[in-house]
């Protein structure tokens, strides 16, 4: 009776297949315990096969203790080594919390066998190794788990001991590159110093297997000069090393070559010249000759000649008309060189730049005392002769000695512009001679010249000169603001604590937030941490101590936008989104920064048409808030920089007719940014139509002329870009210049009237077309 009941229970609990499997397991375990050599050998082999099935483990597990006891009593033999594998698998799948039975069994087993286990089993074993290691370290016990670590490396390759990683590569370059790509993805989320250890592993792996190209790209991505030097020293391919030097020049990275990198002196000089961008002007002129566009282009060729005279019929001030034409002519003929400029003056004898060769023709420049346009006019020479430093200094030598402060200021600013990205170190002494002038415009021009000429160089001399300006509370606000913005450019992305502390101190000591130029102070702090990501946390605590709520919030949003620019970090977006709707979010007082911030963080992803459309559909419904409406066109301009997408053109065109003059003007400028260097006929037609529509409005018409100049930038041979090398690396210098320009456009009415020369910050984003 009882026997039948037990059979009934067995039938209900187990299927026939499971019951048969259980009978086999019990039989094999009995053979192992009984100790007959031949039967034990067969039993261990069969049990090893059966345990591969997850369904069989529950039948083997009850015999765990008996098998352990049997193992300990067995003499050394290959049968004992096989049995330990079975015991390890059992321990991994039924281990108590904190227990390390599988580790103990694995340590007893033969070397090289654990990798026959599955991913999950090895993962659990690795966790037990960590627990055992911590325990032994605290008890000062010896660690004998190294052999298991080496086996797990062969399986996972996830430890910090890079020599173990190297040992397990078979020379397959694809495997090395893919592994390093994975490691870079993982390591970038680690905190220091673990992140640096991971980067060291990646670079050493790539150099060991002669993957110099990928190693150098990672070095530039990390902005690590030591890694760059290692690659240049290790690589023997001269053509590849020349390519690396061109990348350094594009990224505006300062690096001095030594004999270890190039042992031949002539070759080293040639490569250093490439890094210093010494021949950019010659390359542009050679490209212009090849394309047949050597002759200068007049404004009449860009826009209909009758449109140029509309202002006279509307009785608009002549100086503003000439200022608009200055920017149009200088951007169109940018980098044309000295000879082309002389042709321009001879051909357009009535042009606003003709006075440069005729000192008596100043009447149009002196027609107003309130707005000084001379500085922008003379500084335009620096853009026309961009990168040709020697010719500029020869042509403007008399203006650098002028008694007219406006002309002198323009010449000094031109020194900075012509030296942009060119590392000849001739701008510092020239600008230093006039920096102590009592005239604020000359001081601003010298400061701005330093910022443009030495952007990204972290020059300590400039730091020592400009920090006292920030410390002086009695200094003029605009002088201090331009000193801060130039420091931000010189130390862009460096996270320099000394400069950051000086800027924060100035923010605490100055309570002039209502003045538009004050916004350059928090922006300069953002530039210091441009692209720094998590390192910005070091300064956030100091910013939180600023008493003024408006200044504190403005700084926090600017820092967030700049620090994560180009990272596509979606976790930072919610912090910006809440500022879209100040009426709903009480803390959202600077929605214009939120819009620009999102475009900066996601600008590569939003560049895709679908993403841009989604972005605009979420932002444009909020256009009841005027600050959002004013920043949306600028965000589009940054996202589609030099990339005239149809969707962007249509949106900007519609916003160009907005009732708010600032919204319309910002949209017009963004049409120029989107179409920069493309000479896009569709945008050109839209701009001509806008010129007719706004012929009575000074600021929008000024923006039309600027946009037309950008559209035909360098006669179509130059471009604006923040990603100069195939969109792989963010150029902090290029983005820094763009961000300054966009922030200035948020206060377009002030910028176009008083600080119009900030437009020249765009020169930092100018690249020779074909290199982006």
């Amino acid at each position: 009776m009882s026997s039948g009941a037990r059979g009934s229970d067995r039938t209900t609990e187990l299927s026939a297949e499971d019951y048969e499997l259980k009978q086999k397991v019990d039989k094999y375990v009995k053979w192992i315990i009984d100790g007959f050599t031949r039967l034990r050998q067969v039993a261990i082999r069969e049990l090893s096969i059966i345990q591969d099935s997850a369904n069989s483990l529950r039948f083997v597990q009850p015999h765990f203790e008996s098998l352990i006891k049997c193992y300990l009593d067995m003499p050394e033999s290959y049968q004992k080594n096989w049995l330990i594998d079975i015991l390890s698998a059992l321990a991994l799948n039924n281990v108590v919390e904190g227990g390390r039975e599988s580790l103990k069994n694995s340590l007893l087993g033969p070397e090289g066998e654990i990798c026959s286990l599955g991913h999950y089993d090895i993962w659990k074993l690795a966790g037990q190794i960590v627990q055992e290691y911590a325990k032994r370290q605290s008890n000062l016990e010896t660690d004998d788990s190294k052999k298991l670590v080496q086996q797990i490396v062969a399986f996972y390759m996830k430890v910090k001991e890079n020599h173990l990683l190297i040992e397990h590569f078979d020379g397959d370059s694809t495997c090395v590159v893919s592994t390093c790509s994975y490691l870079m993805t993982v390591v970038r989320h680690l905190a220091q110093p673990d992140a640096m250890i991971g980067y060291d592993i990646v670079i050493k792996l790539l150099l060991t297997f002669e993957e110099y190209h990928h190693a150098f790209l990672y070095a530039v991505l990390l902005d690590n000069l030591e890694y760059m030097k290692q690659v240049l020293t290790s690589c023997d391919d001269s053509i590849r090393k020349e390519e690396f030097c061109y990348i350094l020049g594009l990224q505006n990275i300062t690096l001095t070559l030594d004999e270890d990198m190039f042992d031949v002196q002539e070759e080293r000089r040639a490569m250093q010249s490439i890094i210093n961008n010494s021949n950019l002007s010659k390359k542009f002129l050679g490209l212009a000759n090849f394309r047949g566009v050597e002759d200068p282009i007049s404004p009449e060729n860009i826009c209909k000649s009758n449109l140029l005279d509309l202002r006279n019929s509307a009785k608009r001030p002549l100086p503003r008309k000439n200022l608009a034409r200055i920017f149009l002519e200088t951007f169109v003929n940018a980098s044309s060189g000295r000879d082309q400029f002389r042709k321009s003056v001879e051909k357009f004898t009535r042009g606003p730049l003709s006075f440069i060769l005729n000192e008596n023709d100043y009447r149009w420049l002196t027609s107003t005392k309130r707005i000084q346009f001379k500085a922008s006019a003379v500084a335009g020479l620096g853009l026309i002769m961009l990168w040709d430093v020697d010719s500029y200094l020869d042509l403007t030598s008399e203006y650098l000695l002028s008694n007219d402060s406006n002309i002198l200021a323009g010449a000094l600013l031109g020194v900075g512009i012509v030296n942009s990205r060119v590392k000849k170190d001739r701008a510092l002494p020239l600008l230093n001679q006039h920096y102590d002038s009592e005239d604020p415009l000359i001081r601003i021009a010298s400061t701005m010249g330093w910022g443009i000429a030495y952007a990204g160089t972290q020059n300590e001399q400039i730091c020592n000169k400009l920090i006292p300006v920030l410390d002086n509370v009695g200094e003029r606000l605009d002088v201090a603001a331009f000193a801060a913005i130039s420091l931000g450019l010189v130390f862009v992305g460096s996270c320099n604590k000394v400069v950051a502390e000086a800027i924060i101190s100035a923010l605490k000591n100055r309570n002039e937030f209502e003045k538009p130029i004050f916004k350059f102070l928090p922006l300069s702090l953002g530039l210091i941490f441009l692209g720094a990501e998590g390192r910005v946390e070091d300064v956030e605590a100091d910013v939180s101590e600023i008493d003024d709520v408006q200044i504190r919030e403005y700084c926090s949003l600017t820092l967030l936008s700049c620090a994560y620019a180009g990272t596509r970090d979606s976790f930072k977006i919610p912090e910006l989104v809440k500022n879209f709707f100040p009426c709903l979010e009480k803390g959202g007082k600077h929605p214009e920064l939120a819009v620009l911030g999102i475009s900066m963080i996601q600008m590569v992803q939003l560049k895709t048409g679908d993403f841009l459309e989604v972005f605009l559909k979420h932002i444009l419904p909020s256009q009841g808030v005027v600050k959002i409406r004013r920043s949306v066109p600028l965000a589009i301009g940054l996202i589609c920089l030099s990339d005239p997408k149809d969707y962007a053109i249509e949106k900007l065109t519609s916003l160009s007719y907005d009732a708010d003059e600032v919204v319309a003007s910002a949209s017009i400028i963004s049409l120029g940014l989107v179409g920069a260097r493309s000479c896009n006929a569709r945008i050109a037609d839209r701009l001509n139509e806008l010129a007719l529509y706004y012929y009575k409005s000074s600021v929008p018409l000024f923006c039309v002329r600027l946009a037309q100049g950008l559209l035909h930038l360098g006669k179509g041979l130059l471009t604006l870009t923040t990603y100069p090398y195939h969109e792989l690396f963010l150029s902090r210098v290029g983005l820094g210049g763009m961000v300054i320009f966009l922030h200035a456009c948020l206060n377009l009415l002030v910028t176009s009237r008083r600080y119009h020369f900030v437009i020249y910050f765009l020169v930092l984003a100018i690249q020779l077309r074909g290199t982006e």
Side-chain angles (χ1 to χ4, degrees):
M1 183 70 176
S2 61
S3 175
R6 285 196 299 270
S8 177
D9 293 339
R10 170 183 56 76
T11 304
T12 56
E13 291 176 4
L14 297 174
S15 65
E17 182 179 342
D18 286 344
Y19 179 74
E20 182 181 356
L21 180 61
K22 181 179 182 303
Q23 294 289 0
K24 285 184 179 180
V25 168
D26 293 341
K27 179 179 66 173
Y28 293 143
V29 170
K30 185 177 184 304
W31 286 1
I32 294 172
I33 295 173
D34 287 343
F36 295 105
T37 304
R38 291 189 177 182
L39 290 177
R40 176 179 285 174
Q41 179 178 342
V42 173
I44 292 176
R45 184 175 66 248
E46 294 296 326
L47 194 60
S48 175
I49 296 172
I50 290 175
Q51 76 163 359
D52 290 339
S53 170
N55 194 35
S56 67
L57 288 176
R58 56 177 174 153
F59 302 132
V60 183
Q61 196 65 47
H63 303 288
F64 181 77
E65 295 297 334
S66 300
L67 291 173
I68 284 286
K69 184 178 179 181
C70 179
Y71 171 84
L72 295 175
D73 295 334
M74 286 175 64
E76 292 297 328
S77 64
Y78 63 91
Q79 294 179 1
K80 187 173 183 178
N81 293 337
W82 290 351
L83 181 58
I84 193 64
D85 289 338
I86 297 174
L87 295 174
S88 297
L90 291 174
L92 280 166
N93 288 277
N94 192 29
V95 66
V96 297
E97 185 66 25
R100 294 182 290 280
E101 291 85 355
S102 59
L103 175 59
K104 296 174 185 177
N105 297 332
S106 296
L107 290 173
L108 293 172
E111 184 175 351
E113 295 297 327
I114 69 162
C115 290
S116 61
L117 303 174
H119 286 289
Y120 181 70
D121 292 341
I122 292 183
W123 172 72
K124 294 183 71 173
L125 179 60
Q128 293 181 27
I129 289 177
V130 173
Q131 295 175 16
E132 184 68 16
Y133 179 83
K135 177 178 177 295
R136 296 188 180 189
Q137 288 291 311
S138 61
N139 296 333
L140 300 179
E141 299 176 7
T142 57
D143 181 25
D144 57 351
S145 62
K146 189 67 170 291
K147 66 177 183 179
L148 293 181
V149 171
Q150 292 180 347
Q151 294 176 57
I152 294 174
V153 167
F155 191 83
Y156 273 153
M157 297 192 300
K158 285 186 178 178
V159 295
K160 296 179 181 178
E161 299 185 55
N162 53 330
H163 66 279
L164 297 178
L165 288 174
I166 295 172
E167 290 173 3
H168 289 89
F169 282 112
D170 59 1
D172 184 359
S173 60
T174 304
C175 181
V176 175
V177 172
S178 60
T179 300
C180 290
S181 176
Y182 169 75
L183 288 175
M184 284 291 293
T185 304
V186 174
V187 169
R188 67 185 299 268
H189 297 290
L190 298 178
Q192 295 295 350
D194 292 337
M196 189 53 64
I197 294 174
Y199 295 142
D200 289 338
I201 293 174
V202 170
I203 298 299
K204 186 172 182 179
L205 274 171
L206 292 170
L207 293 181
T208 300
F209 292 93
E210 299 183 357
E211 290 292 334
Y212 300 117
H213 180 73
H214 290 88
F216 193 80
L217 294 185
Y218 285 138
V220 175
L221 182 65
L222 297 171
D223 196 21
N224 190 305
L225 288 177
E226 291 303 318
Y227 290 157
M228 299 176 202
K229 292 177 182 179
Q230 287 181 35
V231 178
L232 287 171
T233 302
S234 303
C235 182
D236 295 326
D237 188 337
S238 59
I239 296 177
R240 180 156 289 179
K241 290 167 77 172
E242 183 178 359
E243 178 190 359
F244 296 159
C245 292
Y246 274 111
I247 293 175
L248 292 174
L250 282 174
Q251 291 296 120
N252 202 32
I253 296 174
T254 303
L255 178 66
T256 302
L257 302 176
D258 55 33
E259 295 180 357
D260 294 334
M261 304 174 196
F262 293 92
D263 52 359
V264 180
Q265 186 175 7
E266 292 183 1
E267 184 182 15
R268 185 166 66 251
R269 287 179 179 175
M271 295 301 103
Q272 190 68 62
S273 177
I274 292 173
I275 294 174
N276 294 342
N277 292 316
S278 302
N279 299 318
L280 277 180
S281 179
K282 292 180 180 179
K283 291 177 181 177
F284 174 86
L285 294 176
L287 181 60
N289 181 59
F290 177 76
R291 294 286 183 88
V293 289
E294 309 100 309
D295 292 335
I297 298 178
S298 70
E300 285 82 355
N301 293 337
I302 302 300
C303 48
K304 297 177 181 179
S305 58
N306 63 309
L307 297 182
L308 293 173
D309 299 324
L310 287 176
R311 281 229 159 152
N312 290 333
S313 64
K315 297 182 180 181
R316 292 295 174 183
L318 184 61
R320 184 167 293 279
K321 169 189 173 182
N322 282 308
L323 179 64
R325 180 165 175 160
I326 283 171
F327 285 112
L328 171 58
E329 191 169 345
T330 53
F331 277 104
V332 169
N333 294 296
S335 196
S336 293
R338 176 178 180 176
D339 294 338
Q340 304 310 316
F341 170 72
R342 289 188 181 277
K343 289 181 182 179
S344 175
V345 173
E346 292 171 2
K347 187 174 180 180
F348 318 124
T349 54
R350 286 185 160 183
L353 297 180
S354 63
F355 80 94
I356 298 294
L357 296 183
N358 182 4
E359 292 188 4
N360 296 322
D361 191 13
Y362 280 179
R363 286 173 295 179
W364 70 271
L365 288 169
T366 57
S367 61
T368 178
K369 295 181 180 180
R370 185 176 63 85
I371 304 176
Q372 304 295 346
F373 294 143
K374 296 180 188 178
S376 290
V378 180
L381 284 177
L383 187 55
I384 288 179
M385 287 183 281
L386 184 62
W387 307 320
D388 190 358
V389 180
D390 296 331
S391 294
Y392 174 83
L393 294 178
D394 180 42
L395 184 63
T396 61
S397 57
E398 56 185 296
Y399 299 106
L400 291 169
L401 301 174
S402 175
N403 293 325
D404 189 321
S405 61
N406 296 284
I407 293 178
L408 176 58
L412 293 173
L413 178 54
V415 169
I417 294 171
V418 78
N419 278 277
S420 172
R421 299 179 57 222
V422 178
K423 304 175 184 68
K424 286 193 174 182
D425 208 25
R426 299 183 63 179
L428 184 61
L430 276 172
L431 298 172
N432 195 39
Q433 294 176 10
H434 302 278
Y435 178 71
D436 295 326
S437 171
E438 295 181 359
D439 190 292
L441 183 58
I442 293 177
R443 297 190 68 187
I444 289 173
S446 301
T447 301
M448 187 173 167
W450 274 336
I452 294 176
Y454 291 91
T457 62
Q458 302 183 36
N459 190 292
E460 292 296 332
Q461 288 180 266
I462 297 176
C463 178
N464 296 333
K465 273 283 187 180
L466 296 182
I467 282 184
V469 179
L470 297 179
D471 294 338
N472 183 6
V473 181
E475 185 64 80
R476 283 175 54 115
L477 176 60
D478 52 0
V479 174
F482 277 96
I485 212 69
S486 292
L487 278 171
L489 284 174
V490 174
F491 292 88
V492 62
S494 67
C495 303
N496 188 290
K497 292 184 179 180
V498 175
V499 179
E501 289 173 359
I503 296 172
I504 292 174
S505 177
L507 287 167
K508 291 179 179 178
N509 295 330
R510 290 180 177 271
N511 189 18
E512 302 172 87
F513 184 79
E514 71 283 353
K515 297 181 180 179
I517 197 63
F518 180 86
K519 308 298 192 304
F520 272 11
L521 286 170
L523 176 58
S524 63
L525 186 62
L527 293 177
I528 299 295
F529 293 89
L530 189 66
E533 298 188 57
R535 287 182 292 172
V536 75
E537 296 173 0
D538 298 337
V539 77
E540 286 178 340
D542 296 329
V543 170
S544 64
E545 296 175 359
I546 298 176
D547 295 331
D548 191 294
V549 177
Q550 282 189 308
I551 297 176
R552 184 170 64 247
E553 290 181 347
Y554 198 95
C555 281
S556 297
L557 282 173
T558 305
L559 272 173
L560 177 63
S561 302
C562 291
Y564 292 90
T567 63
R568 288 171 279 185
D569 190 336
S570 58
F571 293 103
K572 300 300 175 182
I573 302 301
E575 298 180 44
L576 297 170
V577 169
K578 68 180 182 181
N579 289 274
F580 284 159
F581 308 102
C583 55
L584 300 177
E585 296 284 344
K586 294 182 179 179
K589 297 180 179 179
H590 306 292
E592 72 280 10
L593 294 183
V595 176
L596 280 181
I598 291 177
S599 66
M600 290 169 62
I601 294 174
Q602 299 277 15
M603 55 186 167
V604 177
Q605 186 175 12
L606 291 174
K607 203 174 183 72
T608 305
D610 295 339
F611 284 101
L612 176 62
E613 187 172 354
V614 171
F615 172 71
L616 294 178
K617 283 183 178 179
H618 280 82
I619 302 301
L620 288 177
S622 306
Q623 57 185 334
V625 182
V626 67
K627 289 184 177 180
I628 294 180
R629 291 166 55 213
R630 291 176 176 179
S631 58
V632 167
L634 301 175
I636 298 174
L638 178 62
I639 293 168
C640 298
L641 189 63
S642 295
D643 186 12
K645 294 187 179 298
D646 292 341
Y647 190 82
I649 294 173
E650 291 302 321
K651 286 297 179 184
L652 291 174
T653 301
S654 63
L655 290 172
S656 297
Y657 295 94
D658 195 275
D660 185 273
E661 187 176 76
V662 177
V663 175
S665 299
S667 303
I668 294 169
I669 289 177
S670 292
L671 277 172
L673 295 176
V674 168
R677 65 86 169 155
S678 67
C679 304
N680 186 286
R682 185 178 173 192
I683 297 178
D685 291 340
R686 300 290 174 85
L687 291 175
N688 280 327
E689 293 170 2
L690 289 165
L692 285 170
Y693 186 82
Y694 287 112
Y695 78 96
K696 290 184 178 181
S697 304
S698 60
V699 174
L701 187 56
F702 171 84
C703 295
V704 169
R705 299 298 177 231
L706 175 60
Q708 289 173 322
L710 295 174
L711 181 65
H712 299 83
L713 182 63
K715 293 173 285 192
L717 302 181
L718 297 176
T719 185
L720 293 174
T721 180
T722 55
Y723 283 85
Y725 187 72
H726 305 297
E727 293 194 356
L728 289 178
F729 313 118
L730 174 68
S731 170
R732 291 188 175 95
V733 170
L735 181 60
M738 281 300 308
V739 169
I740 295 172
F741 174 74
L742 294 176
H743 275 252
C745 289
L746 290 175
N747 299 284
L748 197 56
L749 298 179
V750 176
T751 300
S752 64
R753 289 189 172 97
R754 188 170 183 182
Y755 300 107
H756 39 81
F757 42 82
V758 300
I759 292 172
Y760 287 122
F761 277 119
L762 281 174
V763 73
L764 294 170
I766 291 179
Q767 297 276 3
L768 192 62
R769 187 174 179 179
T771 58
E772 78 277 8

